[in-house]
Amino acid sequence: MKTTRPQQGFTLIELIVVIIILGILAATALPKFIDLSAEARAAAVQGVAGAISSGATVNYGARKAGNTNGVAITTTTTCSNAELAKVVSSGFPPANSGSITYTVSAPGAQDCSVATGAADGTAITCTITATQGTATSTATAQMICTR
């Protein structure tokens, strides 16, 4: 007489169901453990700085080519929201854009005024700071003096 052994292990269906349940739990729990807001804020401020630098370059090129759409950047407040908005087609983000607050500063005594000896084509470094709650991210943008 032949004796049969009881089955051991799990069936393929049972294993697949367990993997699916673990995947669902991981997908719902993962966002609670990963906070990407710092990376998002840094990317946003770098995007704003890149738009300013690109806009300043295009503006300088337009002025040199004699295009009437280019604006003169000759003020002592080169790194201000009003001056930066001149070279960005959509304008500089308002001081409070949603939950992020943007501020602009010029390290040192940099400006595009003739009184400080800034020549046409002088690059001024502006620091853009994005603040969200107590966290901050910074990036630098280049403004180009145009006469």
Side-chain angles (χ1 to χ4, degrees):
M1 183 150 99
K2 190 174 181 184
T3 58
T4 59
R5 288 190 316 174
Q7 284 187 332
Q8 293 181 359
F10 298 105
T11 65
L12 184 59
I13 300 295
E14 291 170 331
L15 292 175
I16 290 174
V17 168
V18 168
I19 291 171
I20 290 172
I21 291 172
L22 288 175
I24 291 170
L25 288 174
T28 57
L30 191 61
K32 294 180 182 180
F33 297 111
I34 296 177
D35 183 15
L36 299 176
S37 63
E39 289 86 355
R41 186 179 47 261
V45 75
Q46 288 172 353
V48 169
I52 292 167
S53 296
S54 297
T57 303
V58 169
N59 182 59
Y60 179 72
R63 292 286 290 187
K64 284 300 180 187
N67 188 332
T68 58
N69 291 332
V71 295
I73 306 293
T74 60
T75 64
T76 57
T77 56
T78 305
C79 291
S80 67
N81 291 9
E83 288 297 305
L84 298 178
K86 290 180 181 179
V87 298
V88 181
S89 61
S90 60
F92 188 74
N96 188 0
S97 296
S99 63
I100 298 178
T101 303
Y102 291 97
T103 55
V104 185
S105 61
Q110 302 181 71
D111 63 52
C112 287
S113 68
V114 177
T116 58
D120 190 31
T122 301
I124 304 296
T125 302
C126 299
T127 302
I128 315 295
T129 304
T131 306
Q132 186 177 28
T134 58
T136 61
S137 297
T138 60
T140 57
Q142 297 292 320
M143 281 292 284
I144 301 175
C145 301
T146 54
R147 303 271 178 251

